[in-house]
Amino acid sequence: MNLADYDVLSFDCYGTLIDWEAGILSVLGAWAEQSGAALSRDELLVAFGVNESQAQRDFPAMLYPGILAEAFVRTGDALGIPVSEDWTNRLGSSVPDWPAFADSAEALASLAQNYKLVILSNVHREGFAGSNRRLGVRFDAIVTAEDVGAYKPAANHFDAIDGVLDNLGVPRSRLLHVAQSLFHDHVPAKRHGISSVWIDRRHDRPGWGATPEPTEKYSFDMRFPSMAAFATAVGTAVDDA
């Protein structure tokens, strides 16, 4: 594929641009330590990821803070450790505090010179607004779970992208989706026939972390270990075009 052949980049945010695992662990790790549970970071992330994705299927219209709280309670039940309302509130309100990856803002600023930028995110509007302040760019469109009433890998976000592209005057063939999660993003991108790039943030770590292992077919057209590497490849492609 030629990265210069696209006009719009759509992004997953959490896991791709914002370090959601660090954000989740800032609360889950403190909870586990207070509870005296001898659990590794990845054990906490895997347990939480399974319960979060199930909560999203069970309550597709619930706002993301509620999903985080519900997933936390289910995780505690699965691990045999009670979760108080104080802890669920801490996690549910933590999204705006989650850190951006170190390369996200610079990479987005570079990419904005050549593409329109769109967010397809599994959070609520208020949560993304907090994260957007850490990313430092103006997105041309933002589609959240709150807007479409469902969570990826459900089709709703990718159904909504057609309206976004119409507003931008860009055909779907000129859209490239950029995401870390094979489960949440590359599965539905494949279903919708959308080209995609995998930002493999966990390339230097084993396992799936907070992202469930995909159980459906997925594909991606290119793979990069970071947003910085992707932005560099884009710069080369544009210079060569």
Side-chain angles (χ1 to χ4, degrees):
M1 72 185 303
N2 185 346
L3 293 170
D5 288 342
Y6 299 90
D7 298 315
V8 177
L9 301 179
S10 57
F11 290 92
D12 169 56
C13 183
Y14 297 88
T16 306
L17 306 175
I18 296 290
D19 190 348
W20 76 315
E21 290 189 345
I24 291 167
L25 281 171
S26 69
V27 179
L28 262 64
W31 163 76
E33 182 177 359
Q34 184 186 85
S35 303
L39 296 165
S40 70
R41 292 166 57 90
D42 274 356
E43 284 173 329
L44 286 169
L45 289 173
V46 169
F48 183 83
V50 170
N51 286 291
E52 185 194 51
S53 63
Q54 186 60 56
Q56 289 171 340
R57 289 192 293 271
D58 292 343
F59 303 105
M62 181 180 284
L63 294 183
Y64 192 55
I67 293 292
L68 289 172
E70 176 68 20
F72 201 173
V73 170
R74 294 183 184 197
T75 299
D77 289 344
L79 297 173
I81 307 170
V83 181
S84 69
E85 185 177 353
D86 178 62
W87 279 111
T88 60
N89 289 339
R90 283 177 63 177
L91 183 61
S93 63
S94 68
V95 175
D97 299 325
W98 294 358
F101 287 104
D103 62 349
S104 292
E106 184 175 353
L108 287 169
S110 175
L111 295 168
Q113 298 177 39
N114 296 293
Y115 304 98
K116 294 184 182 301
L117 308 182
V118 174
I119 284 288
L120 301 183
S121 178
N122 261 6
V123 301
H124 57 311
R125 297 181 198 125
E126 183 180 354
F128 178 73
S131 297
N132 199 8
R133 289 191 285 271
R134 300 176 182 275
L135 299 175
V137 298
R138 179 189 174 279
F139 290 92
D140 295 277
I142 297 166
V143 180
T144 70
E146 182 178 1
D147 297 315
V148 299
Y151 290 88
K152 297 177 292 182
N156 301 45
H157 286 79
F158 289 88
D159 290 339
I161 196 65
D162 286 324
V164 170
L165 293 172
D166 286 345
N167 290 336
L168 296 175
V170 177
R172 186 189 278 199
S173 61
R174 304 289 292 188
L175 167 70
L176 180 63
H177 189 57
V178 183
Q180 180 271 334
S181 177
L182 301 176
F183 174 87
H184 295 100
D185 287 87
H186 294 279
V187 166
K190 179 177 177 61
R191 282 197 230 114
H192 284 72
I194 295 171
S195 300
S196 66
V197 165
W198 183 21
I199 306 299
D200 185 8
R201 290 290 191 182
R202 290 184 61 91
H203 66 277
D204 55 352
R205 290 169 288 168
W208 296 93
T211 304
E213 183 175 359
T215 56
E216 299 178 54
K217 291 182 179 180
Y218 63 87
S219 64
F220 50 87
D221 298 274
M222 282 186 167
R223 173 181 178 178
F224 297 94
S226 65
M227 282 291 297
F230 173 55
T232 297
V234 164
T236 299
V238 170
D239 288 344
D240 290 344

